[in-house]
Amino acid sequence: MTRLAICPQGHVWSAAGTAGDEGGLICPVCGQTGAQAAVEQTVGHETLEPLCVPPVISDVQPIRPVDGQASEHRDSGKPIVPGYEIVRELGRGGMGVVYLARHRELNRPVALKMILAGAHADAETLSRFHREAEAVARLQHPGFVQIHEVGEYQGRPYLTLEYVDGGNLAHHLAGATLAPRAAARLVETLARTVHYAHQRGIVHRDLTPRNILLARSNSRHGIRLNAADLKECEPKITDFGLAKELDGDMVQTQTGMVMGTPSYMSPEQALGKTREIGPGADIHALGAILYETLTGRPPYLAETSYDTLVQVIEREPTPPTRLQPSVPRDLETICLKCLAKDPLKRYTSAEALADDLHRFLVTEPILARRVSWRERAWKWGRRHPAVTALLVVVLLAVTTLTVGSVAYSARVRGERDRAETNFQLAMQAVDEMLTEVGEEQLASEPRMEEKRKALLAKALALYQQFLAQKGEDARVRLQTAQAHRRMADILRLLGQHDTARQAYQEAAVMLERLHFESPGDARYRRQMAYCHNMRGEALRAVGHHEEAETAYQQAESVLTSLAAEDDDDASSRQELARTLYNRGILQRQTQRSTEAESQFRQAVTLLAELINRDPETPTLQQHLARSYLNLGTVIPSQERYADAKEADDEAIEILVALSVRFPDNPDYRHELGVAYNNLGNLFVRTNRLTEARTAFSQSLEGFQELARDFPKVPTYRQELANSFNSLGSVRSYDKDYVGAAAAWEQAAELLEGLVSEHSDVAAYKGDLGMVLGNLGLAYHSRAQWPQARAYFDQSIDSLKQVLADHPDEAFYRQLLRDNYQNLAEVLLSLHDHAGAAEVAGALAEVFPQDGRDRYLAACFLARCANEAHHKNQPGQQDVVSPPYVEEAVAMLQQAVERGFRDAQQVDKDSAEVLLSLAARPDFQQVVDQIRSASQQIDHPSAE
């Protein structure tokens, strides 16, 4: 039976050899010595650790074809470009898609850009693509992303660019702001870079935060965007798809065609006046970027692109100080000068803008002047002539009606008071009849999830109407923000994570504005931190790990500050503890177990202190249980079984007590089921199978009730599938493969339903791939080869779908590798040597730099040669066997190149598995290389 091993870095692999043989415990990724372990999966819910997977079938592992092309063709999600290895997709727009790739010869990362339409692209798209390359090639400046190569393969043009690994400015901002000086330094740097382009006759025309990449920097020119940032960065401008030559269009646009991003366009762009677009358009865009870094939003933003364009053309931007009072007046003046409607009233050049920003930074007087109140009034009158005329009439009328104003004012005050009373009653009615019922009273009622969603949606719509009537009222704005937050909570519960993330962001932006208006009111910051925390949960659920980490950090920063300001602020400390353990779950998912354990222990300590002050509050007990629950999943159970068991027992004790006190609360029942499941996993890892079966049965019973009572909540069905999966694993360890298959089939049915309903959640597809692979193992164990083959095929397809969107999911990648291996074994059992050889090649592609996988792939190809030799008719063996033999030797050579040095394993396999290669001189040469390298490891030369 194959063992599973794990190294200190968290890499998991199938360890060759017997239980007493430590030769197979060298990590094929990092080379460190590992230890025997069971593979565990981490899934999407904040308190869940799922199943343990049964071991793979055989010690013989997979292979890849010599030319490496077959598996590339099988993965239709990634293009083929000679000389480059496509790693993952970085992003895409209307015209092109950008991949992270590795230049094979230079072994360096690059950004590889291709046209989405490929060989079917029209002439205009191809022309724009090539002209972008020409523009970038002319700009040899560190402030621009540099171009490496322009090429074409199979009719698909591509260009490779410098890879910048710090993300883009839009991702960094995400509704947040920069300190004024950091914003000024950033835009000054961008302005000087843009001036360089203007001097060479190129206008970008689409400067946005998304097109500004942030490269990590150690030079004196680096910029620290936030005080919390440990590293500095340098901005680099990219995406010249809309660039224009000052003496002719880089892209073939026509008068009247609007091109660019609406929120950052200049008025002349919005009007489609192509011939009038010059450097002033980029200066306007720089002003819009400066505005967003100062206020957290672009100067123009409406529900539709058309409405945004109307704002760009007709409206003056709201002065930044109205949104963020802390913005310095001089910086606001510079920003608004850039955003002038008339290009002649903007800065004369990007360099002039950069110089004025520099004056601000060194506290010298700026050259820009503030717009006078007379000019503002005149501009307003020009935009609203009818209203201006009416105002003149009103002023005349007011003069004649002054005598009767006192009596009239008294009457107006009375009407206003009555209107205010009615408004307050309406707000109270929404709070009591919709919000309270939707958020609280129906929370524990079975089958009421959709009704809760409908009530909360109606409440949100009414709050938005109130906001339109009384947008200046802080209470109305707070209630509207809370309505967005409540809606996000129910959307997350229903598994609609992308929509939930957007609703949390809406709430956070509104709360941040309230905070800046009333910085002394801690409730705005506390609720804002909650929204960032839960936004992180929604992002983590769909596999956006980096964005989730940023959201958690934003929440933790706010809450740490609040806790430091007030020792009695229990609410902030409670939310801080939740942020800590949520971030710990993310760290566990991304193979950072040591960091995760630290996060969980910090949460336990913080919550224990709060419970000492207030022992009766159930939410504190619940958060403490969650912290223990997750702590148990990261403690190495083989070495520290007692510690892991103690954490699980603590969680169960707390949750049993809460479930008894509050039997109708589904959250406590849910998390108790998770706790039993985690305890079962611990028992499995330490070979206590009877106790594991009992724990899984308790978990299964609880989740069956929850899934029946709340059928619309996907988390309960996921947990139920996980319990069936874990129970199947225990049965398989007892050789009850029929019972194991029955449990896994129930798990698969649940997960197939979840994948159908929530295709954006990677964990559901990944879990389905895992369960289908387990079913393949069950049928393999009963020698039912066709059924095993069908399940392995389905499992591989599901796992490939996950990895196409989330290539960094290490657990699912390891599962894919193991399922390729198991499928190859089944195909050999079915005497399908051609299929086995193809699958072996795909297996080796999963971890292309793994030397041990290359060796095991060579073993598979050698076995295919043996199978072909015995299967074919006399005289036909040489037609099939030599290609397998040649591929096997080539694969063995590749294994050596990737660090394979296990001469003992080669000697063991030579007598049987590699027998078909033994007579070849090139095979003996490779074996000699392995033995020589192995001796150097065993007997290194003295220094």
Side-chain angles (χ1 to χ4, degrees):
M1 180 180 294
T2 297
R3 295 176 299 151
L4 300 178
I6 185 168
C7 76
Q9 296 298 319
H11 303 129
V12 180
W13 71 97
S14 298
T18 61
D21 172 24
E22 297 305 312
L25 297 181
I26 302 300
C27 177
V29 179
C30 65
Q32 297 191 46
T33 302
Q36 187 172 350
V39 177
E40 299 168 6
Q41 169 200 20
T42 50
V43 193
H45 186 260
E46 64 186 5
T47 56
L48 174 65
E49 178 211 3
L51 118 137
C52 297
V53 186
V56 292
I57 296 168
S58 160
D59 288 340
V60 179
Q61 303 176 4
I63 199 164
R64 143 188 179 186
V66 176
D67 60 3
Q69 294 296 317
S71 65
E72 289 182 313
H73 281 291
R74 280 191 292 273
D75 186 359
S76 59
K78 294 179 183 178
I80 300 170
V81 179
Y84 295 93
E85 176 188 342
I86 305 298
V87 179
R88 59 184 170 88
E89 183 178 316
L90 292 174
R92 62 177 62 210
M95 182 184 76
V97 57
V98 182
Y99 297 95
L100 172 61
R102 183 180 64 83
H103 191 287
R104 295 184 190 276
E105 288 189 13
L106 300 178
N107 193 30
R108 72 175 177 188
V110 298
L112 190 146
K113 185 170 185 177
M114 306 188 80
I115 295 176
L116 279 172
H120 306 289
D122 56 35
E124 180 181 348
T125 300
L126 288 170
S127 175
R128 183 181 304 177
F129 191 80
H130 287 296
R131 289 176 183 272
E132 176 182 1
E134 292 173 16
V136 178
R138 286 164 56 179
L139 300 175
Q140 299 298 313
H141 186 281
F144 297 104
V145 173
Q146 297 298 293
I147 190 168
H148 295 320
E149 180 186 3
V150 180
E152 182 177 304
Y153 182 67
Q154 294 183 345
R156 298 190 67 180
Y158 67 88
L159 56 91
T160 58
L161 302 160
E162 171 189 6
Y163 173 59
V164 180
D165 61 356
N168 60 44
L169 182 60
H171 171 72
H172 184 91
L173 292 174
T177 61
L178 302 183
R181 291 185 62 80
R185 282 198 65 194
L186 173 69
V187 178
E188 179 196 357
T189 302
L190 292 171
R192 297 198 188 281
T193 303
V194 168
H195 180 66
Y196 176 90
H198 291 172
Q199 286 181 309
R200 281 146 187 81
I202 295 176
V203 180
H204 190 285
R205 295 205 297 183
D206 195 24
L207 288 172
T208 72
R210 189 172 297 278
N211 289 337
I212 296 168
L213 305 183
L214 302 174
R216 293 181 175 86
S217 171
N218 294 318
S219 75
R220 62 185 181 86
H221 302 293
I223 301 170
R224 182 167 294 176
L225 295 182
N226 290 310
D229 291 343
L230 298 178
K231 294 185 177 179
E232 297 179 336
C233 67
E234 293 182 40
K236 288 180 176 285
I237 297 172
T238 188
D239 199 347
F240 281 79
L242 299 184
K244 172 187 175 182
E245 288 184 355
L246 293 177
D247 57 353
D249 285 347
M250 290 286 292
V251 276
Q252 305 298 312
T253 55
Q254 302 172 358
T255 301
M257 183 179 291
V258 178
M259 304 190 73
T261 305
S263 291
Y264 306 90
M265 278 187 192
S266 63
E268 57 269 27
Q269 282 178 281
L271 288 167
K273 297 180 178 179
T274 308
R275 298 186 182 279
E276 298 180 17
I277 297 172
D282 284 349
I283 293 169
H284 186 282
L286 289 168
I289 293 168
L290 177 59
Y291 188 102
E292 183 167 357
T293 61
L294 296 172
T295 66
R297 52 154 291 172
Y300 309 105
L301 184 63
E303 291 185 0
T304 66
S305 296
Y306 173 79
D307 291 337
T308 302
L309 290 173
V310 171
Q311 289 185 6
V312 171
I313 296 166
E314 297 182 355
R315 281 180 46 181
E316 293 294 329
T318 302
T321 51
R322 292 191 190 174
L323 302 175
Q324 300 283 8
S326 61
V327 173
R329 290 286 180 175
D330 280 356
L331 199 53
E332 177 182 74
T333 301
I334 293 172
C335 182
L336 294 178
K337 183 175 177 67
C338 294
L339 295 173
K341 301 294 183 191
D342 185 351
L344 297 177
K345 292 187 177 180
R346 300 173 202 150
Y347 285 95
T348 56
S349 69
E351 184 179 40
L353 165 60
D355 289 343
D356 231 9
L357 286 167
H358 183 72
R359 292 185 190 96
F360 164 78
L361 288 168
V362 297
T363 65
E364 292 180 0
I366 64 171
L367 299 185
R369 65 176 182 84
R370 295 184 59 77
V371 178
S372 68
W373 70 268
R374 293 184 181 86
E375 187 175 349
R376 289 198 299 270
W378 173 253
K379 289 165 73 174
W380 188 89
R382 287 282 303 275
R383 292 196 309 275
H384 306 89
V387 179
T388 303
L390 180 61
L391 282 175
V392 173
V393 174
V394 169
L395 286 172
L396 293 173
V398 167
T399 304
T400 62
L401 293 174
T402 302
V403 175
S405 63
V406 174
Y408 177 75
S409 296
R411 190 170 70 224
V412 169
R413 281 196 300 272
E415 292 292 337
R416 185 183 61 200
D417 291 344
R418 281 192 292 275
E420 180 63 23
T421 300
N422 290 335
F423 183 79
Q424 294 298 334
L425 288 172
M427 289 273 289
Q428 183 178 350
V430 173
D431 286 348
E432 293 178 356
M433 299 304 297
L434 294 177
T435 302
E436 184 179 339
V437 173
E439 184 176 32
E440 299 172 11
Q441 294 184 14
L442 294 182
S444 59
E445 292 295 325
R447 301 177 185 274
M448 286 290 107
E449 304 82 37
E450 291 294 341
K451 176 61 70 177
R452 289 178 65 197
K453 180 182 175 183
L455 287 172
L456 291 172
K458 188 176 292 186
L460 176 57
L462 289 170
Y463 282 123
Q464 288 172 326
Q465 290 182 29
F466 294 154
L467 187 64
Q469 297 174 37
K470 305 198 75 170
E472 76 289 347
D473 189 319
R475 178 172 175 242
V476 176
R477 291 155 65 194
L478 175 60
Q479 291 285 19
T480 308
Q482 290 176 331
H484 279 291
R485 189 268 302 162
R486 294 182 188 108
M487 193 66 194
D489 286 343
I490 188 67
L491 288 168
R492 191 170 67 88
L493 179 69
L494 294 172
Q496 299 172 30
H497 299 290
D498 276 333
T499 315
R501 173 179 56 82
Q502 294 167 9
Y504 284 128
Q505 181 64 22
E506 288 277 353
V509 170
M510 297 181 74
L511 290 162
E512 186 173 13
R513 291 174 186 164
L514 286 166
H515 161 62
F516 277 103
E517 293 171 12
S518 303
D521 194 333
R523 60 185 172 155
Y524 299 144
R525 294 158 67 195
R526 190 178 301 119
Q527 293 192 40
M528 183 169 59
Y530 173 89
C531 291
H532 287 313
N533 191 0
M534 293 299 105
R535 184 167 62 90
E537 284 294 277
L539 287 163
R540 183 174 62 80
V542 294
H544 296 167
H545 294 158
E546 291 183 6
E547 294 175 69
E549 183 92 36
T550 300
Y552 293 141
Q553 288 172 346
Q554 288 174 309
E556 188 174 337
S557 175
V558 173
L559 293 165
T560 301
S561 176
L562 284 169
E565 292 169 11
D566 184 357
D567 288 339
D568 296 325
D569 187 354
S571 297
S572 295
R573 282 174 165 76
Q574 174 181 309
E575 189 62 28
L576 176 58
R578 171 156 53 181
T579 305
L580 288 168
Y581 68 66
N582 281 348
R583 191 175 175 193
I585 295 166
L586 176 65
Q587 290 168 341
R588 182 186 66 195
Q589 281 185 260
T590 52
Q591 310 297 317
R592 293 178 285 168
S593 297
T594 302
E595 296 172 56
E597 182 176 351
S598 174
Q599 294 283 120
F600 296 143
R601 291 199 180 280
Q602 289 180 62
V604 166
T605 300
L606 187 54
L607 289 163
E609 292 173 358
L610 291 172
I611 290 172
N612 284 336
R613 299 185 197 177
D614 184 8
E616 297 303 318
T617 301
T619 53
L620 290 174
Q621 300 281 349
Q622 181 187 27
H623 286 307
L624 181 60
R626 288 177 176 179
S627 301
Y628 277 123
L629 190 68
N630 287 288
L631 177 61
T633 67
V634 295
I635 296 174
S637 55
Q638 296 288 350
E639 299 88 348
R640 296 163 57 195
Y641 166 77
D643 290 347
K645 177 70 162 52
E646 181 183 5
D648 287 340
D649 287 344
E650 290 278 4
I652 289 172
E653 182 180 352
I654 295 169
L655 290 166
V656 166
L658 287 172
S659 298
V660 171
R661 286 177 62 193
F662 307 98
D664 295 328
N665 188 314
D667 285 347
Y668 303 147
R669 295 158 58 194
H670 167 211
E671 289 166 26
L672 179 59
V674 173
Y676 280 128
N677 199 50
N678 286 1
L679 181 61
N681 287 333
L682 175 63
F683 287 141
V684 168
R685 291 194 297 270
T686 52
N687 204 33
R688 295 168 170 81
L689 299 185
T690 302
E691 295 163 285
R693 190 180 294 103
T694 301
F696 287 141
S697 297
Q698 291 172 299
S699 174
L700 189 67
E701 182 180 353
F703 285 126
Q704 283 175 320
E705 292 179 2
L706 282 169
R708 182 179 62 246
D709 292 345
F710 300 92
K712 295 291 185 180
V713 179
T715 300
Y716 299 155
R717 283 183 286 159
Q718 181 192 20
E719 301 281 22
L720 179 58
N722 177 66
S723 296
F724 275 123
N725 200 11
S726 298
L727 188 60
S729 299
V730 175
R731 289 174 177 173
S732 73
Y733 296 142
D734 283 342
K735 311 298 184 187
D736 178 12
Y737 298 116
V738 174
W744 285 330
E745 284 168 358
Q746 289 176 287
E749 183 178 355
L750 288 162
L751 290 165
E752 284 168 351
L754 288 169
V755 169
S756 176
E757 296 169 23
H758 305 280
S759 59
D760 62 324
V761 181
Y764 299 156
K765 289 181 185 176
D767 288 0
L768 178 60
M770 173 176 55
V771 172
L772 292 170
N774 289 344
L775 278 165
L777 290 169
Y779 282 98
H780 178 278
S781 299
R782 289 183 280 165
Q784 294 177 284
W785 313 124
Q787 295 93 328
R789 175 180 186 173
Y791 279 120
F792 285 134
D793 279 335
Q794 294 174 52
S795 172
I796 288 167
D797 182 62
S798 185
L799 292 167
K800 285 175 66 177
Q801 289 180 43
V802 175
L803 292 169
D805 295 328
H806 305 281
D808 297 329
E809 289 283 0
F811 177 75
Y812 296 139
R813 188 168 294 279
Q814 181 66 36
L815 278 180
L816 178 63
R817 173 201 174 283
D818 292 343
N819 279 309
Y820 272 134
Q821 176 187 340
N822 294 340
L823 177 58
E825 284 284 347
V826 168
L827 291 170
L828 283 172
S829 297
L830 288 167
H831 307 294
D832 181 0
H833 54 79
E838 182 180 3
V839 169
L843 182 151
E845 282 296 305
V846 178
F847 293 106
Q849 299 306 315
D850 188 332
R852 183 167 290 276
D853 276 2
R854 298 276 168 176
Y855 168 73
L856 294 171
C859 291
F860 258 130
L861 285 170
R863 293 172 65 192
C864 289
N866 292 338
E867 175 64 29
H869 182 83
H870 293 299
K871 181 179 179 181
N872 290 331
Q873 297 295 323
Q876 293 183 335
Q877 290 89 343
D878 291 342
V879 177
V880 179
S881 297
Y884 293 153
V885 171
E886 291 169 4
E887 290 175 11
V889 173
M891 191 63 67
L892 196 59
Q893 180 64 56
Q894 293 173 23
V896 174
E897 293 169 359
R898 286 161 176 77
F900 180 74
R901 301 288 186 270
D902 193 344
Q904 184 179 2
Q905 186 69 47
V906 174
D907 291 339
K908 175 182 174 183
D909 293 331
S910 293
E912 200 169 327
V913 175
L914 300 173
L915 188 60
S916 59
L917 311 182
R920 293 180 62 98
D922 49 1
F923 169 70
Q924 292 300 328
Q925 290 175 1
V926 177
V927 171
D928 290 342
Q929 290 180 40
I930 295 173
R931 288 171 177 159
S932 176
S934 178
Q935 289 173 1
Q936 290 178 10
I937 294 174
D938 294 337
H939 306 288
S941 59
E943 292 290 335

